[in-house]
Amino acid sequence: MGRQLIDTNPTGNKIGVVPEERATRGASRYDAVIATLVGLCALCVSGYTAYMQRQQVRAAVWPILEFDSSNAPDIHFTLANKGVGPAIIRHVIVMVDGQPVRNWKEALEKILGPGEHLLSESDMSGHVFAAGESMDVFHSTRSRK
């Protein structure tokens, strides 16, 4: 018997060059573009949702000022904050018949006519009304003659 050599590298165990599949590479690029577009759409939707929630929170804390007047048995004006947020009164202009007046005394003279009138007033300018707070801003009792 002759000598036989043992092949330690049979052709069945060799790793050969695998041809590249171009269809798979194209599909993975397509998937990446679609995933990027979906991610951008999700980012836009979440940004818009955050914007809308911020607007709703702002609207929920608005003050709602209510002005009430009465003339029986005396003249009085009340200002109340019916909203849930604070109201800052910066400037007040009192008008009678569409014309601004300097003070409550002048307003009362235009409403009731000349004479001496008993009145009490509160300054509203610079006042901060808490939610639910109200204030009598003007109160007039019987006139002196």
Side-chain angles (χ1 to χ4, degrees):
M1 274 204 152
R3 255 177 102 177
Q4 288 186 337
L5 294 174
I6 299 175
D7 187 9
T8 57
N9 269 334
T11 55
N13 291 338
K14 290 187 180 177
I15 297 176
V17 178
V18 178
E20 222 176 280
E21 294 182 24
R22 298 234 178 241
T24 306
R25 178 177 279 178
S28 67
R29 285 184 185 157
Y30 177 74
D31 291 344
V33 168
I34 294 297
T36 302
L37 288 176
V38 167
L40 285 174
C41 287
L43 181 64
C44 291
V45 167
S46 66
Y48 180 72
T49 301
Y51 169 77
M52 291 305 295
Q53 285 176 341
R54 184 175 181 200
Q55 297 294 43
Q56 288 175 346
V57 167
R58 280 185 178 178
V61 296
W62 280 358
I64 300 172
L65 292 177
E66 181 177 274
F67 188 76
D68 186 33
S69 64
S70 171
N71 63 354
D74 55 4
I75 298 173
H76 92 222
F77 301 118
T78 304
L79 186 63
N81 182 2
K82 299 292 185 173
V84 294
I88 301 170
I89 308 295
R90 292 198 172 102
H91 303 286
V92 176
I93 298 174
V94 177
M95 300 178 83
V96 177
D97 294 330
Q99 299 297 319
V101 293
R102 290 184 308 229
N103 53 37
W104 286 109
K105 184 176 180 181
E106 185 181 336
L108 202 56
E109 285 180 4
K110 281 191 169 189
I111 295 170
L112 299 177
E116 191 174 339
H117 306 285
L118 298 174
L119 61 100
S120 67
E121 60 184 281
S122 298
D123 188 19
M124 293 177 285
S125 293
H127 188 80
V128 178
F129 283 88
E133 182 181 355
S134 66
M135 172 193 285
D136 284 334
V137 293
F138 178 80
H139 184 84
S140 173
T141 56
R142 289 180 257 134
S143 299
R144 280 194 232 164
K145 296 192 179 191

